Amino acid sequence: GWKGMILLPFANRIAYGRYTFFNNTYQLPVNENTTDPPRVNALHGFLAGKKMELREVVYGDNNITLTLAYSFKAGSEEGYPFDLDVSIKYTLTVDSVFRVGVTLVNRMPGQPL
């Protein structure tokens, strides 16, 4: 399932999909609900499966770099009231080295994420 995926804005599990941030409690959608073992969680964020914008393709002498982007807008995802820009840069070199870089930008000044 999740191997190799960029898991944002949270990875792993949030029990019952509830979290408190700066004295505000939020409810995320529960997308893991199993009985064996018993689990009721919000699992692995919202980015997986989203259509991302192709921002840039750069052909270098010894590599190619592809940059994709996505923006979370406050309230667009249930239980996630923050603005967050995501940029993912993939680079493949002629020596078969594969690099992945992730940049996140908080678009809500004064609001830590």
Side-chain angles (χ1 to χ4, degrees):
W2 300 97
K3 288 182 181 180
M5 292 190 166
I6 306 290
L7 306 176
L8 290 169
F10 61 91
N12 214 331
R13 293 168 171 84
I14 296 179
Y16 304 102
R18 281 190 295 273
Y19 68 98
T20 300
F21 187 76
F22 281 88
N23 297 320
N24 293 310
T25 299
Y26 301 97
Q27 179 66 52
L28 298 164
V30 170
N31 58 350
E32 181 184 48
N33 194 349
T34 62
T35 55
D36 188 23
R39 293 183 176 156
V40 180
N41 302 298
L43 185 62
H44 297 326
F46 309 116
L47 189 62
K50 297 285 189 198
K51 183 177 179 180
M52 298 188 74
E53 174 189 348
L54 176 60
R55 283 274 170 89
E56 183 177 51
V57 177
V58 177
Y59 298 92
D61 291 336
N62 297 310
N63 61 45
I64 183 170
T65 299
L66 171 78
T67 303
L68 302 176
Y70 187 82
S71 291
F72 290 99
K73 295 182 181 18
S76 65
E77 302 291 342
E78 181 183 342
Y80 193 75
F82 309 108
D83 287 339
L84 183 65
D85 287 338
V86 178
S87 177
I88 305 171
K89 183 182 285 191
Y90 298 95
T91 301
L92 180 62
T93 72
V94 295
D95 299 326
S96 299
V97 175
F98 183 62
R99 293 185 190 96
V100 178
V102 178
T103 302
L104 305 175
V105 176
N106 175 3
R107 292 186 293 118
M108 297 178 73
Q111 185 72 269
L113 298 179

